[in-house]
Amino acid sequence: MEQVSFNTHHSAFGAYSSFILGKIGKGGGFVLNNVKPVENNIYIGYKREGQDLSILPFFLEKKTDTNEVFGLSDGKKYKTKEKLLKPFEEKEISRELKFASDTWRAGDIEFKIITPFWEVADPHKIKAEELRFSILPAIFAKVTLNNSSSDIKAKVFFGMDGMGRLISEATQQKLLGGAIDRRIAFACSKENGIVEHIGWNLLDNIVSGQNEKNRLGNEVLLTLEVPAHTIRTFTLVFATFQDGMITSGHDTRFAYTSCFRNIEDVLEFALDNKAYYLSLADKRDAELQESGLNKYRRFLIAQAAHSYLANTQLMLDNEAKPVWVVNEGEYQMMNTFDLTVDHIFWEMRYHPWTVKNVLDLFVERYSYTDKVIDINGRQYPGGVSFAHDMGFANMFSNSGSSVYERKDTTGCFSYMTYEQLLNWILCASVYAFKNNDFEWLKKRKHTMIECFDSLAARDLNNDGIMDADSIKCGSGYEITTYDSLDESLGRSRNNLYIAVKTWAALVCLENVFSKLKLAEYWLRSQDRAILLVNTLSGYFIEDQNFIPAIFENGNSSRIIPAIEGLVYPYIIKDYNAISSVGRYGKLIKMLKLHMQEVLKSGVCIDDVSGGWKLSSTSNNTWMSKIFLNQYISENVLNIHLPLESEKWDKVHAIWQANFSELCAVDQINSENGKDLGSRLYPRLVTSILWMDVK
Amino acid sequence: MEQVSFNTHHSAFGAYSSFILGKIGKGGGFVLNNVKPVENNIYIGYKREGQDLSILPFFLEKKTDTNEVFGLSDGKKYKTKEKLLKPFEEKEISRELKFASDTWRAGDIEFKIITPFWEVADPHKIKAEELRFSILPAIFAKVTLNNSSSDIKAKVFFGMDGMGRLISEATQQKLLGGAIDRRIAFACSKENGIVEHIGWNLLDNIVSGQNEKNRLGNEVLLTLEVPAHTIRTFTLVFATFQDGMITSGHDTRFAYTSCFRNIEDVLEFALDNKAYYLSLADKRDAELQESGLNKYRRFLIAQAAHSYLANTQLMLDNEAKPVWVVNEGEYQMMNTFDLTVDHIFWEMRYHPWTVKNVLDLFVERYSYTDKVIDINGRQYPGGVSFAHDMGFANMFSNSGSSVYERKDTTGCFSYMTYEQLLNWILCASVYAFKNNDFEWLKKRKHTMIECFDSLAARDLNNDGIMDADSIKCGSGYEITTYDSLDESLGRSRNNLYIAVKTWAALVCLENVFSKLKLAEYWLRSQDRAILLVNTLSGYFIEDQNFIPAIFENGNSSRIIPAIEGLVYPYIIKDYNAISSVGRYGKLIKMLKLHMQEVLKSGVCIDDVSGGWKLSSTSNNTWMSKIFLNQYISENVLNIHLPLESEKWDKVHAIWQANFSELCAVDQINSENGKDLGSRLYPRLVTSILWMDVK
């Protein structure tokens, strides 16, 4: 990727905090309990004696003279920035975003942010010291100046505003760095040649060579002397720490508070073990670099991984039991279930126990039982389902309720009862089979049966396909996760995407009930799946090779997510179910034809941009789902279009890099790549599937 | 006061949080760990059926359509504000700021914020249940609609943005209101006719009469039905709650967390006991209203009281011992000692134990011993003194260090060694004598002796007046609290203000050593005081009736704070010391002549504005010190100028009201009333002395 100027989240696992950097001219810095970019000044650069100060362009012009704030009408004027500052121009900078690192190079400086991640064990199952290794709320950075071809000694520096104290003073001079109260800090080990600065205009210190410590300062900066003809590096830790109970509705605190005393404890531990963590990051980087994926996909995976981690939050409740939350980007909804179902591919790879954790919380606290109504308003028994989410912005909602869903609504914000029911079945099946946790499956036998019954109850005409809405909708109707697309994907009832996802849930249930030795339910699941496939066959328009998105009102939208459901049988390795010569061969063949048909310019390939659009009748397209369906198309349906594929990837990658201030964005306009919603989003991590090719 | 549009802090004791409101068109809302105004929308108004919506003008035009954020290109447009909203104009609103309340009236609505305060006992000396009464982190508000002359039923409402959940859901429907996570909330008791709303554009609900609960909303609003021909009121509680360790450098948490579980606990307790708290506020209001002070002074006291409370922070350390902090307005420095000495008049009235608490912390953690140097750079033994402050913005600084002071400085930010030494002596004496705590005085005998010795060590030529700077200044010199004024007040050495304050400290020490039966030190204190008075007499310019501000370089500035020191002997009731026929009669007579001389237009009365200026040679004047010196002039020196006095008060009150967005401001330009610094400041509470007239 050639693009340089875009923001990326840099985050520790489960800390719901980020160091955001990348948009040129915009600053960056830490954000807590959110994922929105902040605009603190970040100072990264160097100065050779007698030369101008070279600096990466991550700061803003200061608007206030702090001396004036203190009533000093004759306050010193700080002229450094205007006179002696040479920020690198965009064209002078190269940037390389990898799986667990992000590196900028300009002139003789290299700045690398390192965000190691790893397979995280269930905190309940490991010892305290292991836990410290496992849920460290810190990331790393390296600042390197290559002064090897210079005869002049230099200073290289890293600093930022939004700080207020020196780390040396809290660590008996063991570490050097800056912090703001107890919550945010950066530090390095004390080494020869590294000096701490605190003040209001620290670039002046670099220029003047002075170091008067102004402890009222809002900036902290570290400088390292680099002799002529040498290369020197210093390694930083960035940490965040939030004490006390954090969430309302359900009392939880950050899990790391159980194994770290305070932020200094985090910094010291991180620096003591930096070799360990940096090697983990190198390993991650190598995995992606050596994946054989093209550079666009590597970029998309890397940016998505960063955004996902930024949204993660590992908490402990009053009984010290883990509570896992993934927050929904700019919307901040907690454990939005139709995101969870997309995150499981990542989570099964790195921390499958979080999937179980969320599924249990959905059962125990965020499930409900409803009635259903047909289009004439007649009521019927319904069954169990699950809330859309568990709250937002550190506020757990009441039992059984999401913050998203409202009655009497016909678009966004209506209930997703049926789809969340599918999501529980699919996530639970994937978790149990991928993780071989059949103990848990047995424990959840009752829920599995309830879920099957609930599915059946919502198909009044017994054709396999959902046709009754939850009574919770009032005068509205149920929607799908694709709520903000057009009607071709937005509505649940008689919906192709939902139908195939239902089939997938039934296939999963077949496997579940077989494993649980519940022969009757196994058979009933299979019967319903067959019924559904037959019904779908009836909707297949042979001469045009597609199934319409909605089986009502003469709808003729072509949609890509018709194939989305195929991923689940594939993941749980029921290869027969997804084989064109298997028991559902008819469906697989139909969907392959459908997919080949829609992957055409002017249908689901945007004829302006050349990127994927999920529905032929909407320009609102979602990156996370594009990635997922690309994976399915290639690996489940074996549609191999290598030339087209790389072109598509390039369009998608450029879109992402162009969001510049918004990190990873999900909802975009397929014509022009404009962001339409779901900014700063975790869901794009569906792209991790690309690394799972057998 | 006729002014309506200015911000005021509304704060609970010790919670370092405010609800800020008052500037028209600017919004308001809660701020935590700071005192800076926030700009949330505050909705206070009413609507009669079929009529427009009348609302107080405390909100901003919304810049984003929340539906667009969710990718809804066809999102509903919210037109309420443009079409049906009638904000009251400034001229239609009356406002009455009292000691413990702030009331707006417009049309038929009255909105009153009630901030009760009281004599707070030492948390160490009372029981848990008493403690809850004593350090409740909550304030109150009343919303009243007078619909008595209308035939049409109405709804009256209060609401705000920056919220995210309903209080009913966390209190089993006992209370109604809004909150954001665990930290900020408002609520009322559940009563007939009161309805909770949550959403993005709740004024629409008022207009439409609907109440669809949108739990993703950022606004919460309460409506109360008011039948025709009735008056109805609902009482709100505003609470804040911050859990966990808050400060760095010295681990402390909010004291209220020891007796309240969470914010709902605070809300319930406050509403259960609202009669008690509201009667306390009424009592405070009555005290000020019935004080006999003119309306300008009443306004100045009320505004100052609000700002002071906003800056207070009562914490507990790891051993559950109280740690008292007053923060320094916009600068956020903690327990700035030269503010403490001005706050003691308030604190001795309402919570004298906090004075002791701070003095002890200064001795135990923020004292140091230095050497001194003369103007030729020769070094001499120094003695004990105290740091300027204890840190800033929830960050305690290292032992013995302030965040403010730096070496090699010749103006602001230099050391205040000598003045802080005076401040400890003065505060300790006032505390011990006013509170009759001679046990404590005995415990601090050693410190008292050290302080006297330290004073003496800084007077190298033995004329009673400080003439040697602390070696900590490096190449700079010591400054006074009046650092940002001109040299007439800024420098410590040979400084009239400091000299008289030294005399006051010596008189206090006379009293202290007499009480402690340390005859030798008592005599030495008196000897030095006499010496000092004799020296000062030598500087008195008889034909011009004044003493120059600085006894060097031919300085001829006239300064008001020459008399500042007189307040301390007066407060500890050593009336002989401040009598013109007492043992220091010579000084008192001189200072009275000086004061009468400077209180002239063109000298220390600004010839443009007619307000007080502290120095004849500076337009930077400080309100807190004006109030203090007005008190001394009238009550200690018995300079009674009733006609002039009320004119001066009017100028000063108008200045304060004109700061509009900045609540109470200390440093201003005496010509035009422009704010120069020290905004949102606690120090103006010196005005409480006006209520202490015997």
Side-chain angles (χ1 to χ4, degrees):
Chain A
M1 294 296 294
E2 294 75 34
Q3 275 84 346
V4 165
S5 176
F6 58 89
N7 271 334
T8 297
H9 291 117
H10 303 92
S11 308
F13 172 82
Y16 202 13
S17 72
S18 299
F19 182 81
I20 302 181
L21 195 74
K23 173 69 175 171
I24 287 179
K26 275 293 186 181
F30 291 99
V31 60
L32 298 179
N33 299 319
N34 208 328
V35 285
K36 294 207 173 113
V38 286
E39 296 191 351
N40 286 320
N41 291 319
I42 309 294
Y43 304 122
I44 308 158
Y46 60 96
K47 185 178 183 311
R48 292 202 176 87
E49 273 192 3
Q51 299 187 0
D52 288 345
L53 191 152
S54 297
I55 186 165
L56 291 172
F58 298 126
F59 55 89
L60 306 153
E61 272 309 299
K62 286 207 175 181
K63 283 171 198 74
T64 47
D65 177 342
T66 317
N67 280 284
E68 264 176 34
V69 176
F70 276 84
L72 301 178
S73 50
D74 60 345
K76 298 174 206 157
K77 296 293 172 209
Y78 291 85
K79 296 291 183 197
T80 292
K81 285 184 194 161
E82 293 149 41
K83 283 194 181 159
L84 299 163
L85 208 68
K86 268 177 77 175
F88 290 105
E89 289 176 41
E90 188 166 344
K91 64 184 178 199
E92 299 175 283
I93 304 168
S94 74
R95 180 174 178 189
E96 201 174 7
L97 178 68
K98 293 185 177 176
F99 211 12
S101 70
D102 198 357
T103 307
W104 290 261
R105 292 182 190 88
D108 296 319
I109 196 171
E110 180 182 292
F111 179 66
K112 182 176 184 179
I113 306 180
I114 301 145
T115 43
F117 56 92
W118 51 86
E119 292 172 15
V120 183
D122 185 339
H124 244 194
K125 299 202 173 152
I126 56 176
K127 290 179 195 147
E129 189 58 20
E130 270 180 90
L131 194 60
R132 283 163 72 88
F133 275 100
S134 192
I135 59 170
L136 178 79
I139 61 172
F140 297 83
K142 277 185 175 183
V143 188
T144 302
L145 185 69
N146 184 341
N147 205 27
S148 58
S149 55
S150 171
D151 297 331
I152 307 170
K153 74 173 178 179
K155 265 183 193 150
V156 60
F157 58 84
F158 175 87
M160 58 188 298
D161 68 11
M163 296 286 107
R165 65 184 177 98
L166 295 175
I167 284 297
S168 60
E169 297 181 352
T171 60
Q172 293 74 48
Q173 305 294 320
K174 189 180 166 192
L175 309 184
L176 304 176
I180 183 78
D181 56 53
R182 305 175 66 91
R183 295 171 299 164
I184 292 171
F186 69 91
C188 66
S189 301
K190 182 163 186 166
E191 284 166 38
N192 280 341
I194 304 183
V195 176
E196 266 177 342
H197 302 249
I198 184 166
W200 289 322
N201 292 280
L202 292 178
L203 296 184
D204 283 356
N205 283 24
I206 307 287
V207 173
S208 68
Q210 292 182 336
N211 184 14
E212 175 200 49
K213 288 195 165 54
N214 167 9
R215 286 182 173 75
L216 268 176
N218 59 345
E219 298 182 345
V220 172
L221 189 131
L222 295 171
T223 54
L224 167 67
E225 296 271 0
V226 187
H229 306 294
T230 62
I231 300 173
R232 287 202 63 181
T233 292
F234 62 109
T235 303
L236 296 162
V237 172
F238 296 171
T240 66
F241 197 95
Q242 295 187 78
D243 197 26
M245 285 294 168
I246 298 290
T247 56
S248 62
H250 185 31
D251 292 349
T252 70
R253 62 196 173 105
F254 278 98
Y256 58 71
T257 62
S258 70
C259 54
F260 292 100
R261 287 188 313 282
N262 53 32
I263 202 161
E264 286 81 9
D265 193 16
V266 173
L267 294 171
E268 290 190 22
F269 185 86
L271 284 165
D272 286 348
N273 296 285
K274 70 182 176 192
Y276 168 78
Y277 288 107
L278 298 186
S279 77
L280 282 173
D282 286 344
K283 195 175 153 194
R284 288 290 95 79
D285 280 354
E287 280 168 11
L288 182 58
Q289 290 310 105
E290 293 156 15
S291 62
L293 296 169
N294 68 45
K295 63 180 177 179
Y296 307 113
R297 290 197 172 186
R298 295 201 308 270
F299 165 75
L300 289 167
I301 289 174
Q303 181 76 334
H306 281 78
S307 251
Y308 172 81
L309 284 165
N311 282 283
T312 60
Q313 187 172 14
L314 180 60
M315 310 299 280
L316 298 178
D317 68 14
N318 277 326
E319 289 154 6
K321 282 202 314 198
V323 178
W324 175 251
V325 176
V326 181
N327 293 282
E328 191 182 343
E330 62 174 331
Y331 308 133
Q332 296 191 271
M333 280 177 271
M334 300 156 84
N335 290 333
T336 302
F337 209 167
D338 41 312
L339 267 70
T340 304
V341 73
D342 286 327
H343 297 156
I344 54 171
F345 310 113
W346 177 281
E347 294 177 356
M348 290 310 300
R349 188 178 173 106
Y350 294 111
H351 35 81
W353 57 271
T354 65
V355 178
K356 180 177 70 171
N357 187 283
V358 168
L359 290 170
D360 284 340
L361 196 56
F362 268 114
V363 173
E364 288 153 17
R365 195 178 152 111
Y366 292 99
S367 59
Y368 58 83
T369 302
D370 64 353
K371 292 182 183 173
V372 297
I373 46 172
D374 66 16
I375 50 169
N376 302 313
R378 231 173 324 189
Q379 297 187 11
Y380 302 86
V384 71
S385 189
F386 305 91
H388 167 274
D389 58 73
M390 300 184 178
F392 85 111
N394 284 337
M395 296 175 281
F396 281 98
S397 51
N398 273 14
S399 293
S401 302
S402 72
V403 291
Y404 182 88
E405 292 156 312
R406 310 178 217 158
K407 67 174 185 173
D408 302 334
T409 305
T410 54
C412 271
F413 314 121
S414 185
Y415 280 83
M416 292 192 197
T417 305
Y418 189 81
E419 185 166 12
Q420 306 306 2
L421 174 60
L422 296 177
N423 287 338
W424 199 91
I425 297 167
L426 295 167
C427 291
S429 305
V430 167
Y431 167 73
F433 283 97
K434 280 280 278 188
N435 209 41
N436 296 312
D437 190 349
F438 302 116
E439 277 309 303
W440 181 80
L441 195 63
K442 275 182 213 157
K443 225 183 80 186
R444 288 293 172 208
K445 183 172 83 171
H446 180 66
T447 309
M448 285 290 183
I449 291 170
E450 280 190 311
C451 284
F452 175 84
D453 290 340
S454 185
L455 273 188
R458 291 161 208 278
D459 170 18
L460 296 174
N461 68 357
N462 206 33
D463 66 352
I465 292 170
M466 180 268 198
D467 48 33
D469 289 299
S470 173
I471 200 165
K472 286 181 169 270
C473 297
S475 64
Y477 52 71
E478 281 186 40
I479 57 169
T480 79
T481 188
Y482 292 104
D483 44 15
S484 58
L485 283 164
D486 68 353
E487 206 180 62
S488 66
L489 272 164
R491 206 171 81 181
S492 286
R493 208 166 62 208
N494 289 324
N495 173 311
L496 171 60
Y497 152 72
I498 289 290
V500 179
K501 203 165 162 179
T502 303
W503 166 82
L506 291 166
V507 173
C508 286
L509 287 172
E510 280 181 59
N511 285 271
V512 164
F513 292 134
S514 164
K515 193 81 197 173
L516 292 174
K517 303 194 194 330
L518 291 167
E520 187 206 331
Y521 274 99
W522 168 62
L523 275 174
R524 285 177 63 191
S525 302
Q526 196 171 68
D527 285 351
R528 291 199 68 79
I530 292 167
L531 197 64
L532 190 152
V533 170
N534 289 336
T535 305
L536 274 185
S537 302
Y539 293 124
F540 186 69
I541 300 173
E542 300 246 352
D543 57 343
Q544 294 177 71
N545 274 333
F546 85 103
I547 314 176
I550 300 283
F551 319 134
E552 285 181 12
N553 306 326
N555 179 291
S556 66
S557 290
R558 274 81 163 166
I559 60 167
I560 285 175
I563 66 169
E564 195 171 312
L566 297 178
V567 76
Y568 306 101
Y570 179 76
I571 291 287
I572 68 165
K573 299 187 182 169
D574 184 347
Y575 297 127
N576 175 281
I578 47 146
S579 162
S580 57
V581 296
R583 64 194 190 278
Y584 303 112
K586 190 158 62 172
L587 175 70
I588 306 307
K589 278 184 259 175
M590 235 168 17
L591 289 176
K592 186 159 183 170
L593 288 170
H594 174 100
M595 195 61 191
Q596 285 165 329
E597 177 64 26
V598 304
L599 283 183
K600 288 180 183 163
S601 182
V603 187
C604 291
I605 302 299
D606 191 282
D607 52 10
V608 177
S609 69
W612 279 35
K613 43 192 273 179
L614 297 177
S615 162
S616 63
T617 51
S618 174
N619 283 342
N620 186 334
T621 195
W622 296 10
M623 304 299 294
S624 60
K625 296 296 198 178
I626 290 175
F627 305 154
L628 176 57
N629 286 294
Q630 280 184 297
Y631 175 78
I632 296 164
S633 179
E634 292 164 7
N635 296 284
V636 185
L637 294 179
N638 296 305
I639 299 174
H640 295 290
L641 302 161
L643 289 181
E644 290 86 344
S645 183
E646 180 145 350
K647 267 192 253 168
W648 295 328
D649 292 336
K650 183 175 178 181
V651 173
H652 302 155
I654 289 170
W655 283 343
Q656 281 302 322
N658 282 349
F659 294 130
S660 65
E661 283 181 60
L662 300 169
C663 303
V665 175
D666 204 13
Q667 290 190 41
I668 66 159
N669 184 316
S670 62
E671 244 179 59
N672 53 28
K674 188 184 167 308
D675 56 295
L676 294 178
S678 302
R679 298 159 192 93
L680 314 156
Y681 225 50
R683 196 183 209 166
L684 290 81
V685 84
T686 49
S687 52
I688 194 68
L689 280 167
W690 291 333
M691 293 184 71
D692 255 344
V693 177
K694 271 122 214 128
Chain B
M1 293 296 295
E2 295 74 34
Q3 275 83 347
V4 164
S5 175
F6 58 88
N7 271 334
T8 298
H9 291 118
H10 303 91
S11 309
F13 172 81
Y16 202 12
S17 72
S18 299
F19 182 81
I20 301 180
L21 195 74
K23 173 70 178 171
I24 287 179
K26 274 293 185 181
F30 290 99
V31 61
L32 299 179
N33 299 319
N34 208 328
V35 286
K36 293 207 173 111
V38 287
E39 296 191 351
N40 287 319
N41 291 319
I42 309 294
Y43 303 121
I44 308 158
Y46 60 97
K47 185 180 182 310
R48 292 202 175 87
E49 274 192 2
Q51 299 186 359
D52 288 344
L53 190 152
S54 297
I55 186 166
L56 291 173
F58 299 125
F59 55 90
L60 306 153
E61 271 309 300
K62 287 207 176 183
K63 280 168 200 78
T64 48
D65 178 340
T66 317
N67 280 286
E68 263 175 35
V69 177
F70 276 85
L72 300 177
S73 50
D74 59 344
K76 297 174 206 157
K77 297 292 172 209
Y78 291 84
K79 294 292 183 196
T80 291
K81 284 182 194 165
E82 293 148 40
K83 282 193 180 158
L84 300 162
L85 207 69
K86 269 177 76 175
F88 289 106
E89 289 176 41
E90 187 167 343
K91 63 183 179 201
E92 297 174 284
I93 304 168
S94 74
R95 180 174 178 188
E96 200 173 8
L97 178 68
K98 293 185 177 177
F99 211 13
S101 69
D102 197 359
T103 308
W104 290 262
R105 292 181 189 89
D108 296 318
I109 196 171
E110 178 181 292
F111 178 66
K112 182 176 184 180
I113 306 180
I114 301 144
T115 44
F117 56 92
W118 52 86
E119 292 172 17
V120 183
D122 185 340
H124 245 194
K125 299 201 173 156
I126 56 177
K127 291 180 198 149
E129 188 58 21
E130 270 181 88
L131 194 60
R132 282 162 73 88
F133 275 101
S134 193
I135 58 171
L136 178 79
I139 61 171
F140 297 82
K142 277 185 175 184
V143 188
T144 302
L145 185 69
N146 184 341
N147 205 26
S148 57
S149 55
S150 171
D151 296 332
I152 306 171
K153 74 174 178 179
K155 266 185 191 145
V156 60
F157 58 84
F158 175 87
M160 57 188 297
D161 68 12
M163 297 285 107
R165 65 184 178 98
L166 296 174
I167 283 298
S168 60
E169 296 180 353
T171 60
Q172 293 74 48
Q173 306 293 321
K174 188 179 166 191
L175 309 184
L176 304 176
I180 184 76
D181 55 53
R182 305 175 66 92
R183 295 171 299 163
I184 292 171
F186 69 92
C188 66
S189 301
K190 183 164 185 165
E191 284 166 38
N192 279 342
I194 304 183
V195 177
E196 264 176 345
H197 302 249
I198 184 166
W200 289 321
N201 292 278
L202 292 178
L203 296 183
D204 283 357
N205 282 24
I206 308 286
V207 173
S208 68
Q210 292 181 337
N211 184 14
E212 175 200 47
K213 287 195 167 53
N214 167 9
R215 285 182 174 75
L216 268 177
N218 59 346
E219 298 181 347
V220 172
L221 190 133
L222 295 171
T223 54
L224 168 66
E225 296 272 358
V226 186
H229 305 294
T230 61
I231 300 173
R232 287 203 62 183
T233 291
F234 62 110
T235 303
L236 296 163
V237 173
F238 296 170
T240 66
F241 196 93
Q242 295 187 78
D243 197 25
M245 285 296 166
I246 298 290
T247 56
S248 62
H250 184 31
D251 292 349
T252 70
R253 62 195 173 105
F254 278 98
Y256 58 70
T257 62
S258 70
C259 54
F260 291 100
R261 285 189 313 282
N262 54 31
I263 202 161
E264 286 80 8
D265 194 16
V266 173
L267 295 170
E268 290 190 23
F269 185 87
L271 285 164
D272 286 348
N273 297 287
K274 70 182 177 191
Y276 168 77
Y277 287 108
L278 298 185
S279 76
L280 282 174
D282 286 344
K283 195 173 151 197
R284 288 290 95 79
D285 280 354
E287 280 167 11
L288 182 58
Q289 291 311 106
E290 293 156 15
S291 62
L293 295 170
N294 67 45
K295 63 180 176 178
Y296 307 113
R297 290 198 172 189
R298 295 201 307 270
F299 165 74
L300 288 167
I301 289 175
Q303 181 77 335
H306 281 78
S307 251
Y308 172 81
L309 285 166
N311 282 284
T312 61
Q313 186 171 13
L314 180 60
M315 310 299 278
L316 298 178
D317 68 14
N318 277 326
E319 288 153 7
K321 281 202 314 199
V323 177
W324 174 250
V325 176
V326 181
N327 293 282
E328 191 183 342
E330 61 173 332
Y331 307 134
Q332 295 192 272
M333 279 177 272
M334 301 157 82
N335 290 332
T336 303
F337 208 168
D338 41 309
L339 267 70
T340 304
V341 73
D342 286 326
H343 297 155
I344 54 172
F345 310 113
W346 176 281
E347 293 177 356
M348 290 310 300
R349 187 178 173 109
Y350 294 111
H351 34 82
W353 58 272
T354 65
V355 177
K356 180 177 70 171
N357 187 281
V358 168
L359 290 170
D360 283 340
L361 197 55
F362 268 113
V363 173
E364 288 154 17
R365 197 179 151 110
Y366 292 100
S367 58
Y368 58 83
T369 301
D370 63 354
K371 291 181 183 172
V372 297
I373 46 172
D374 66 17
I375 49 167
N376 302 313
R378 232 172 325 188
Q379 298 187 13
Y380 303 86
V384 72
S385 189
F386 305 90
H388 167 274
D389 58 73
M390 300 184 179
F392 85 110
N394 284 336
M395 295 173 281
F396 280 98
S397 52
N398 273 15
S399 292
S401 303
S402 71
V403 291
Y404 183 86
E405 292 156 313
R406 308 179 218 158
K407 68 173 184 172
D408 303 333
T409 305
T410 53
C412 271
F413 314 121
S414 186
Y415 280 82
M416 292 193 197
T417 305
Y418 189 83
E419 185 165 13
Q420 306 307 1
L421 174 60
L422 296 178
N423 288 338
W424 199 92
I425 297 166
L426 295 167
C427 290
S429 306
V430 167
Y431 168 73
F433 284 97
K434 280 280 277 189
N435 209 40
N436 295 311
D437 190 349
F438 301 116
E439 278 308 304
W440 181 81
L441 195 63
K442 273 182 215 157
K443 226 184 80 187
R444 288 293 170 207
K445 182 171 83 170
H446 180 65
T447 310
M448 285 291 183
I449 291 170
E450 279 190 311
C451 285
F452 174 84
D453 291 339
S454 185
L455 274 189
R458 290 160 210 278
D459 171 19
L460 295 175
N461 68 358
N462 206 35
D463 66 351
I465 292 170
M466 180 268 200
D467 47 33
D469 288 299
S470 173
I471 200 166
K472 286 181 169 270
C473 297
S475 64
Y477 51 71
E478 282 186 39
I479 57 170
T480 80
T481 189
Y482 291 105
D483 45 15
S484 58
L485 283 163
D486 67 354
E487 206 179 62
S488 66
L489 272 164
R491 207 172 80 182
S492 285
R493 208 165 63 209
N494 290 322
N495 173 309
L496 171 60
Y497 153 71
I498 289 290
V500 179
K501 203 165 161 180
T502 302
W503 166 82
L506 291 166
V507 172
C508 286
L509 286 172
E510 282 181 59
N511 286 272
V512 164
F513 292 135
S514 163
K515 193 83 198 172
L516 292 174
K517 305 197 193 324
L518 291 168
E520 186 207 329
Y521 275 99
W522 167 62
L523 274 174
R524 286 177 62 192
S525 302
Q526 196 170 68
D527 286 349
R528 291 197 69 77
I530 292 165
L531 197 63
L532 190 150
V533 169
N534 289 337
T535 306
L536 273 185
S537 302
Y539 293 125
F540 186 68
I541 300 173
E542 300 246 351
D543 57 342
Q544 295 176 70
N545 274 334
F546 85 102
I547 314 176
I550 301 283
F551 318 133
E552 286 181 12
N553 305 327
N555 178 291
S556 66
S557 291
R558 275 82 162 164
I559 61 166
I560 286 175
I563 66 169
E564 197 171 310
L566 297 178
V567 76
Y568 306 101
Y570 180 76
I571 292 286
I572 68 166
K573 300 188 181 167
D574 184 346
Y575 296 126
N576 174 281
I578 47 144
S579 161
S580 58
V581 296
R583 63 194 192 277
Y584 302 113
K586 190 158 62 171
L587 175 70
I588 306 308
K589 279 183 256 176
M590 235 169 12
L591 289 176
K592 186 160 182 170
L593 288 171
H594 174 100
M595 194 61 190
Q596 284 165 328
E597 177 61 25
V598 305
L599 282 184
K600 288 179 182 163
S601 182
V603 186
C604 291
I605 302 299
D606 191 280
D607 52 11
V608 177
S609 69
W612 278 34
K613 44 193 270 179
L614 297 177
S615 162
S616 63
T617 51
S618 175
N619 283 342
N620 186 334
T621 195
W622 295 11
M623 304 300 292
S624 59
K625 296 297 197 177
I626 291 174
F627 304 155
L628 175 57
N629 286 294
Q630 280 184 298
Y631 175 78
I632 297 164
S633 179
E634 292 163 9
N635 296 283
V636 185
L637 294 179
N638 296 304
I639 299 174
H640 295 291
L641 303 161
L643 289 182
E644 289 85 344
S645 183
E646 181 145 349
K647 265 192 253 170
W648 294 329
D649 292 337
K650 184 175 178 183
V651 173
H652 303 156
I654 288 171
W655 282 344
Q656 281 303 322
N658 282 349
F659 294 129
S660 64
E661 284 180 60
L662 300 169
C663 303
V665 175
D666 204 13
Q667 289 190 43
I668 67 157
N669 183 316
S670 61
E671 243 178 61
N672 53 28
K674 189 184 166 310
D675 56 295
L676 294 180
S678 302
R679 300 159 190 93
L680 314 156
Y681 226 50
R683 194 183 209 166
L684 290 80
V685 83
T686 49
S687 52
I688 193 70
L689 280 167
W690 291 332
M691 293 185 70
D692 255 344
V693 178
K694 272 131 210 119

